[in-house]
Amino acid sequence: MTEEEISLLLNTYMYLDYKEATEGESLKQIVEELSTHPDYGGGGIHYGEYTVLKEAVEAEEIGSLEIGYQSVDMGYDFGTSACTFASPDKEAIYVVYRGTGDGEWLDNGLGMTEVSTRQHEQALKYFEEVVDSMGVTKEQRLVITGHSKGGNKAQFVTMDTQYDSLVDVCYSVDGQGFSEAAILNWKETYGQQAYETRTEKIFGIHGENDYVSVLGIGIIPEEQITY
């Protein structure tokens, strides 16, 4: 299974809106716990996402991934909605952001005009807290991903973090772009070459008729977007 496919599946997990997972549980264990839950395996509101994951976790590289650093347990608001998934040997770490959450619609609009928004800053704070706590090194594979607003956050973190040398790749799934002010700020802060070096770590996975990824000004190199 490719890294892109794993990222897509982890983004699917985020839409389960399941906030009771135990730290360190494998994704397969979580899915098994939800097999009789009325909202999931019981055929309720999240049955679609559940069935996708139920099949996916049979693959070892998916099922063995262990959840950690759930933002809801770290004092962040529900809008931040992020967590990590790591391989058992911790050689691969995925930082995953959910799409638009409670109270974030206004923030989406502000992101089209401002250098950064509160939710951008919360996503960045979360990421850097995780990197510090985990003691991430260059020997580990660090992936940032998210869907829609989560994809926008993943891009922002890749562009703004002080730990850019530790970030290997960002997969933005239908994530919107940014304001002219934000892009100008990055170029003035880093210089054109360093700005481009950061954008080159970002890959877009977009629906062919998606109407979110076209919002704002895109920073993902065109040749790195898959429709």
Side-chain angles (χ1 to χ4, degrees), residues 16 31 34-35 40-41 46-55:
L16 292 179
V31 170
L34 298 179
S35 62
Y40 304 101
H46 295 298
Y47 183 70
E49 295 95 333
Y50 168 82
T51 55
V52 170
L53 291 166
K54 183 176 184 292
E55 180 178 346

Side-chain angles (χ1 to χ4, degrees), residues 9 56 76 118 123 138 142 147 149 189 203 209 212 219 225:
L9 287 164
Y76 290 88
R118 181 183 185 279
K138 291 183 179 180
L142 181 58
H147 170 258
K149 175 72 166 183
T189 301
F203 289 77
N209 297 312
V212 175
I219 64 171
I225 298 175

